[in-house]
């Protein structure tokens, strides 16, 4: 299929399998999951707190690894002080291809971001809203802020409440300043993830196992297969 793409747009996106279950993670040891996904995201906030990174990494699949310690206000499963989240991210850095840090934490975490960049680790600056779709101007401001703090990829997750909210995400593809990942959550999550993938989102998140990491995710196998049968579209 012809790839009609603009700068910073790619097709197909990398399919990211979010893992929020220690039980599922333990089944992945050394597995090659390439026919299902391109990256695995380990949600460290979802793991039992007593586990050390070396223990966890014993089960690591043979895939690029995104490490996330999500803050509670943006969907994290454990409440912890920011310093603890940063030190966990730091402890997992030797294993990471990429790390995710909330845009609102990037100023405080700027040293961490620099450290990641020095190690050649990609930085995803992210923002999540589980209730609404913020306005496009606000989301663009967030992108600007994330880029100023050196995010390589800016990720927007929000909840479309009416069909028109999907258009807010579409607008983000107008001249982004670098790669973006855009996804809806909730009942319009699945359809939005397909559309934004076709518009050039560089990542699309889904789940492995039997538990969604966010409302509106697809199972990674299903989205990978579906995207194989589709192609890029113009905004
Ligand atoms: O931030 C994201 C995206 C996500 O919230 C989603 O909507 O698929 C799932 C999370 O695991 C991940 O950290």
């Amino acid at each position: 299929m012809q790839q009609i793409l603009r700068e910073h747009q790619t097709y197909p996106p990398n399919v990211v399998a979010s893992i929020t279950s220690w039980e599922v993670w333990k089944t992945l040891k050394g597995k090659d999951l390439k026919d299902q996904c391109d990256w695995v995201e380990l949600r460290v906030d979802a793991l039992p707190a007593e586990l050390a990174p070396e223990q966890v990494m014993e089960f690591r699949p043979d895939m690029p690894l995104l490490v996330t310690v999500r803050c509670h206000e943006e969907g994290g499963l454990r409440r912890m002080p920011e310093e603890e989240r940063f030190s966990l991210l730091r402890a997992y850095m030797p294993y990471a291809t990429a790390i995710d840090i909330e845009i609102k934490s990037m100023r405080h975490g700027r040293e961490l971001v620099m450290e990641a960049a020095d190690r050649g680790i990609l930085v995803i600056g992210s923002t999540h809203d589980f209730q609404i779709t913020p306005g496009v101007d606000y989301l663009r401001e967030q992108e600007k802020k994330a880029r100023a703090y050196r995010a390589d990829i800016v990720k927007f997750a929000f909840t479309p409440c009416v069909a028109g909210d999907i258009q807010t995400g579409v607008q983000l593809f107008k001249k982004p300043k670098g790669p973006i990942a855009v996804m809806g959550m909730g009942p319009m999550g699945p359809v939005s993830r397909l559309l934004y993938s076709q518009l050039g989102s560089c990542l699309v998140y889904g789940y492995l196992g039997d538990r969604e990491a966010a409302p509106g995710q697809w199972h990674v196998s299903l989205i990978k297969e579906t995207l194989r049968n589709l192609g890029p579209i113009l905004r």
Side-chain angles (χ1 to χ4, degrees):
M1 179 150 334
Q2 200 191 358
Q3 309 275 305
I4 326 159
L5 297 175
R6 297 198 169 94
E7 206 190 354
H8 304 309
Q9 297 188 338
T10 78
Y11 189 90
N14 281 312
V15 175
V16 183
S18 305
I19 312 289
T20 49
S21 155
W22 173 230
E23 296 312 315
V24 171
W25 177 258
K26 281 192 295 185
T27 65
L28 302 181
K29 185 171 181 165
K31 274 197 187 152
D32 177 352
L33 304 166
K34 280 193 201 73
D35 54 337
Q36 299 191 67
C37 57
D38 304 294
W39 293 12
V40 168
E41 177 194 44
L42 177 61
R43 282 278 305 274
V44 177
D45 54 283
L47 299 180
E50 64 280 6
L51 292 170
E54 306 77 61
Q55 277 173 286
V56 174
M57 284 303 127
E58 266 183 49
F59 300 97
R60 143 175 218 177
D62 185 16
M63 303 234 82
L65 178 68
L66 162 61
V67 177
T68 301
V69 192
R70 180 68 65 233
C71 70
H72 190 255
E73 305 73 53
E74 296 199 30
L77 298 177
R78 189 148 50 97
R79 268 184 208 282
M80 55 185 129
E82 193 124 287
E83 286 310 331
E84 190 181 333
R85 290 198 307 117
F86 291 173
S87 73
L88 273 171
L89 272 175
R90 212 169 250 124
Y92 278 90
M93 266 193 199
Y95 311 99
T97 311
I99 59 166
D100 178 313
I101 177 165
E102 296 76 11
I103 298 170
K104 74 169 175 51
S105 301
M106 287 187 88
R107 191 169 75 87
H108 188 190
R110 55 194 182 278
E111 280 180 17
L112 188 82
V113 171
M114 271 160 23
E115 218 175 297
D118 288 345
R119 289 171 176 253
I121 297 170
L122 285 173
V123 175
I124 301 176
S126 63
T127 173
H128 310 78
D129 196 310
F130 286 84
Q131 305 295 329
I132 58 156
T133 299
V136 71
D137 292 343
Y138 171 82
L139 293 172
R140 287 215 175 100
E141 266 313 300
Q142 295 298 301
E143 182 189 358
K144 214 161 143 191
K145 187 170 161 198
R147 303 252 181 242
Y149 287 112
R150 304 288 168 90
D152 297 297
I153 297 173
V154 183
K155 202 193 82 191
F156 306 93
F158 48 81
T159 305
C161 299
V162 292
D165 286 342
I166 303 253
Q167 174 63 10
T168 300
V170 173
Q171 286 175 271
L172 296 171
F173 291 95
K174 187 176 173 188
K175 298 202 180 127
K177 300 279 180 285
I180 54 172
V182 185
M183 61 212 72
M185 297 187 284
M188 283 182 264
V191 72
S192 76
R193 285 170 199 242
L194 268 192
L195 177 65
Y196 299 149
S197 293
Q198 292 188 279
L199 285 168
S201 182
C202 67
L203 305 173
V204 58
Y205 288 67
Y207 65 96
L208 253 183
D210 55 9
R211 196 202 301 175
E212 293 177 331
Q217 284 187 334
W218 294 61
H219 190 281
V220 281
S221 310
L222 193 54
I223 189 120
K224 195 149 182 79
E225 176 58 21
T226 307
L227 293 175
R228 245 183 240 129
N229 292 300
L230 299 174
I233 56 175
L234 290 177
R235 181 179 52 80

